[in-house]
Amino acid sequence: ADRDEKRLNHCLDVAVALGATILDVSANVPLPTQYDAHSQATRQTFRGEVAPQSFYEETAVRLKSIARRAASFGVELSIELHDDGLQDTADDCLKLMQLIDEPNVGLNPDLGNWARVPYEHLDSWRDQIAKMAAKTNYLEVKNYQALYVAGDRRSYSWGTYLDNGTIDFRETATILWRAGFRGWVCNEGGVGDYVRSQIRFIEYFRWILDEWIPACGD
């Protein structure tokens, strides 16, 4: 934790040097053997629902210090919804943000991270975005197709284009717009040719912004 806090402060220094106004953060489980094939195949994905309260409290203390330092540079922190960590659901993201309790800390509802896990969710991606929309200050996007195999009691997912997966980003963007979000959107996904994937993302989100949202009456 001490090492990661030092590294995160260094990331903040780099962000300031580059003129960034948002620093995206997450509190995920360390993966010291991630490159070992056996560990990758057998390791269970960590879930915030089993984490002790003390994990959240320690993380909040460390991020509070960084948030205050970031504020001195005019930088906001954005807690990313991310699988395999403390903030793997909207409720856990909000919990961590509230424990940090600093005005320059918001949320990044990266729904792709939520949707790609192998286990079943009790709610939907719509529930996740609805809970996080009012506190969103940054958005990363990617999409997945998923197949649930009853015999395995798990889902299998694979990346796809933003407009061709299980998450409807027209609806996502509209919910965020109505909640007042006007921030940056970053494309993390896509398939095939990377440049073409980025162009397709830009075209899609530009269409949502210029045509879809106005057509919804906002």
Side-chain angles (χ1 to χ4, degrees):
D2 290 338
R3 180 197 62 187
D4 287 345
E5 184 177 358
K6 182 178 179 180
R7 287 177 173 176
L8 186 52
N9 270 299
H10 179 68
C11 289
L12 174 58
D13 292 336
V14 173
V16 171
L18 294 173
T21 57
I22 296 282
L23 179 61
D24 185 60
V25 297
S26 62
N28 289 77
V29 177
L31 299 174
T33 57
Q34 180 66 25
Y35 297 105
D36 173 71
H38 180 266
S39 296
Q40 290 189 58
T42 60
R43 181 182 174 279
Q44 293 293 315
T45 301
F46 185 82
R47 300 173 70 171
E49 65 183 23
V50 303
Q53 177 68 13
S54 60
F55 283 21
Y56 287 95
E57 292 172 353
E58 180 182 353
T59 301
V61 168
R62 292 178 182 272
L63 288 178
K64 187 179 188 75
S65 174
I66 293 172
R68 288 180 170 178
R69 184 165 176 261
S72 70
F73 296 114
V75 173
E76 296 180 63
L77 297 190
S78 189
I79 298 172
E80 180 177 349
L81 175 63
H82 204 295
D83 49 331
D84 206 27
L86 295 180
Q87 71 302 339
D88 62 341
T89 66
D91 289 335
D92 288 336
C93 286
L94 288 162
K95 177 180 179 179
L96 185 56
M97 185 193 73
Q98 289 161 2
L99 284 170
I100 297 169
D101 191 25
E102 291 293 331
N104 65 322
V105 178
L107 302 178
N108 166 16
D110 189 336
L111 297 175
N113 291 334
W114 181 88
R116 69 186 178 186
V117 296
Y119 50 84
E120 289 185 274
H121 289 296
L122 298 178
D123 54 8
S124 70
W125 60 263
R126 291 179 176 87
D127 297 311
Q128 299 295 298
I129 196 67
K131 291 177 181 179
M132 299 177 70
K135 300 298 183 181
T136 296
N137 63 351
Y138 173 60
L139 177 64
E140 291 178 338
V141 295
K142 52 183 173 285
N143 216 343
Y144 293 88
Q145 294 280 4
L147 175 67
Y148 181 72
V149 179
D152 295 345
R153 298 183 63 186
R154 61 159 291 170
S155 293
Y156 297 87
S157 61
W158 57 96
T160 186
Y161 288 113
L162 204 62
D163 55 349
N164 193 37
T166 59
I167 303 163
D168 184 345
F169 279 100
R170 289 179 304 168
E171 185 175 347
T172 297
T174 303
I175 292 170
L176 289 173
W177 184 271
R178 289 173 173 168
F181 176 66
R182 301 293 187 273
W184 290 102
V185 181
C186 172
N187 182 37
E188 280 194 314
V191 291
D193 184 283
Y194 181 76
V195 173
R196 183 66 191 119
S197 286
Q198 293 295 330
I199 293 173
R200 181 163 169 162
F201 151 71
I202 292 170
E203 292 172 342
Y204 181 48
F205 252 80
R206 177 55 60 187
W207 172 77
I208 289 174
L209 181 62
D210 292 345
E211 299 187 43
W212 178 259
I213 289 177
C216 293
D218 292 309

